[in-house]
Amino acid sequence: MTVNHVKRAFKYRFYPTDAQAAELARTFGCVRKVYNMALAARIQAWTRQERVNYNQTSAMLTAWKKTEELAYLNDVSSVPLQQTLRHLQVAFTNFFGKRAKYPRFKSRKKSRKSAEYTTSGFRFRNGQLTLAKMSEPLDIAWSRALPEGASPSTVTVSLDAAGRWFVSLLCEDPSIKPLPATDTAVGIDVGLDHLLTLSTGEKIANPRHERRDRARLAKAQRELARKAEGEGANRAKARRKAARIHARITDRRRDGLHKLTSKLVRENQTLVIEDLTVRNMVKNRSLARAISDAAWSEFRSMLEYKAAWYGREVIAVDRWFPSSKLCSACGALQDKMPLSVRTWTCDCGTTHDRDVNAAQNLLGAGLALTVCGAGVRPQRSSPGRQSAMKQKTPRREP
């Protein structure tokens, strides 16, 4: 019997030599150039009521390399250039499938600097990774071991805004197996006063990573704003300083979410959440900063893929379900529930903590969906659909 192992990306920092850094910088520039040219070609074709697919853009790339103006594309590995055309094809597939917005051109300053290599574009032997067009292996800080006998199928190299180099190796991980089934289920209500409130009554504090570094970040951004516009060394130094603070905030937030989601998935067979449209909620300017810092979308994403790994089930309840206004004891629905009300007493005599009550109602609704077989996991709404502000969101973030 064939065993299908889960593919998992293992990300590490590495420290390139000057020659390697220069080669990768050239590769990033060529990847961006090819992507933008292919996108422009597809847009022009569409104005003529024609469609261009991956095979046609690949043929265009071959022709571009033969021109004197674009001959420099031959100086870098062809693998990342082909991969960026595949990424563009996926972007259009997602757009026509109404899963994403129309593909946009990549900016030299703002776009992510990365290049993807398939097996023909790198060599991995004896724990050393050597990319095409390079004579020496990368100096990788192996912070954790790859799965025993693992051989990467894809390698992605990237440079973040803080000047840190990363390499991500996609490997099959045989250690990821379904966990023993349990009969535990939990409702999860997200918020800002508390990051999570569980139907068990447990509340997870909101670490507010961005607010902890807000003063330091504001100072770095003021220093950056005082630098003259352009590509000067002082401005680049100030930009990296602000980016390092952002990176530290992001790293702490992601680490905390990983630990939290792993714990929830290990301990519960069924996890019920609310199907929020965060992209619309952050349009509220008074709460956008706090909502972004809470990273509800990232929390959901982690919860879903880890549940799929370990044989758990995530149920998303429709966002219009009145979880805050419904009494979890008798089912009575309150007419109004102002945001200032954090505890309330139902006519049946039950006193509720607003968030715990909402989590318990979510759990009940999720289990009901499972029993009746109705949409267990609703699709996320399309980008154009509007959604009301989540009623449980507390007052303005200081």
Side-chain angles (χ1 to χ4, degrees):
M1 183 178 67
T2 302
V3 178
N4 294 322
H5 296 309
V6 173
K7 284 199 170 185
R8 182 178 183 181
F10 293 82
K11 191 173 182 179
Y12 305 92
R13 284 195 69 176
F14 75 97
Y15 302 88
T17 63
D18 291 342
Q20 289 173 338
E23 174 65 28
L24 289 171
R26 283 194 297 271
T27 302
F28 295 160
C30 291
V31 164
R32 184 181 63 253
K33 179 69 173 179
V34 169
Y35 184 95
N36 288 342
M37 291 176 64
L39 176 55
R42 295 181 74 139
I43 292 174
Q44 292 170 4
W46 184 249
T47 61
R48 303 189 299 271
Q49 300 299 309
E50 298 175 3
R51 280 198 178 187
V52 174
N53 58 27
Y54 162 75
N55 291 331
Q56 291 168 296
T57 55
S58 181
M60 291 178 187
L61 175 59
T62 301
W64 292 336
K65 288 182 175 182
K66 295 178 180 179
T67 65
E68 182 178 353
E69 181 185 2
L70 299 172
Y72 62 85
L73 295 177
N74 294 289
D75 296 338
V76 302
S77 171
S78 63
V79 176
L81 305 185
Q82 293 290 345
Q83 287 301 101
T84 198
L85 295 179
R86 291 189 175 93
H87 294 164
L88 180 60
Q89 178 65 39
V90 171
F92 271 100
T93 300
N94 289 335
F95 167 71
F96 288 119
K98 298 183 179 181
R99 294 183 295 274
K101 295 182 179 180
Y102 195 85
R104 295 182 295 179
F105 290 100
K106 292 184 180 291
S107 164
R108 184 171 65 88
K109 292 183 178 180
K110 297 181 180 180
S111 296
R112 180 171 180 259
K113 297 178 175 63
S114 66
E116 184 177 278
Y117 296 78
T118 54
T119 50
S120 60
F122 65 87
R123 184 175 69 251
F124 185 73
R125 294 178 183 170
N126 302 321
Q128 291 189 321
L129 177 67
T130 306
L131 301 178
K133 299 284 186 178
M134 295 186 185
S135 57
E136 298 179 3
L138 300 181
D139 180 14
I140 300 175
W142 297 101
S143 53
R144 55 177 171 169
L146 289 175
E148 186 175 354
S151 180
S153 59
T154 303
V155 169
T156 303
V157 181
S158 59
L159 173 66
D160 71 3
R164 303 179 300 177
W165 292 88
F166 291 97
V167 59
S168 179
L169 290 77
L170 185 65
C171 308
E172 287 190 350
D173 189 353
S175 67
I176 297 179
K177 300 176 182 178
L179 295 170
T182 69
D183 58 357
T184 55
V186 65
I188 304 171
D189 180 65
V190 298
L192 297 179
D193 284 344
H194 293 88
L195 181 62
L196 303 179
T197 300
L198 308 183
S199 56
T200 59
E202 180 183 359
K203 294 188 176 184
I204 311 298
N206 186 352
R208 305 179 192 274
H209 296 290
E210 187 272 340
R211 194 167 72 173
R212 287 168 55 188
D213 272 346
R214 188 172 296 176
R216 186 180 292 108
L217 179 60
K219 180 180 178 182
Q221 290 172 331
R222 286 195 300 270
E223 291 175 355
L224 174 60
R226 286 197 291 265
K227 306 300 180 185
E229 291 286 346
E231 296 297 324
N234 286 339
R235 184 172 180 81
K237 183 178 178 181
R239 186 186 300 114
R240 283 195 300 271
K241 183 177 180 179
R244 282 195 294 269
I245 298 173
H246 276 296
R248 183 165 60 246
I249 294 170
T250 301
D251 290 345
R252 286 202 304 255
R253 181 188 298 123
R254 186 177 294 118
D255 179 66
L257 289 177
H258 270 301
K259 293 175 180 176
L260 180 57
T261 52
S262 294
K263 180 176 183 293
L264 289 170
V265 168
R266 282 197 307 269
E267 295 178 352
N268 299 280
Q269 181 68 34
T270 304
L271 305 104
V272 184
I273 58 177
E274 192 171 6
D275 188 23
L276 299 177
T277 307
V278 177
R279 72 172 68 90
N280 289 331
M281 296 174 69
V282 295
K283 293 177 182 178
N284 183 322
R285 296 179 62 183
S286 64
L287 292 168
R289 194 170 193 171
I291 292 173
S292 299
D293 191 28
W296 294 338
S297 292
E298 190 172 6
F299 166 77
R300 174 173 176 169
S301 176
M302 289 184 182
L303 201 66
E304 288 183 335
Y305 79 71
K306 290 180 182 181
W309 279 0
Y310 297 112
R312 303 313 200 195
E313 183 179 31
V314 175
I315 301 173
V317 175
D318 189 273
R319 68 181 64 89
W320 304 110
F321 177 68
S323 56
S324 294
K325 298 192 293 183
L326 193 67
C327 175
S328 58
C330 69
L333 181 64
Q334 305 299 308
D335 292 332
K336 296 181 180 179
M337 188 63 62
L339 293 176
S340 58
V341 176
R342 309 315 299 173
T343 60
W344 58 280
T345 302
C346 179
D347 293 338
C348 69
T350 306
T351 300
H352 295 290
D353 177 287
R354 180 193 187 101
D355 296 331
V356 174
N357 177 66
Q360 291 172 344
N361 284 324
L362 288 173
L363 175 59
L367 295 179
L369 284 174
T370 305
V371 171
C372 68
V376 169
R377 187 182 297 171
Q379 295 293 323
R380 294 174 187 257
S381 61
S382 61
R385 180 179 175 182
Q386 296 295 317
S387 172
M389 172 58 63
K390 182 173 183 285
Q391 193 182 38
K392 295 181 286 300
T393 304
R395 296 167 297 281
R396 180 190 294 266
E397 172 76 357

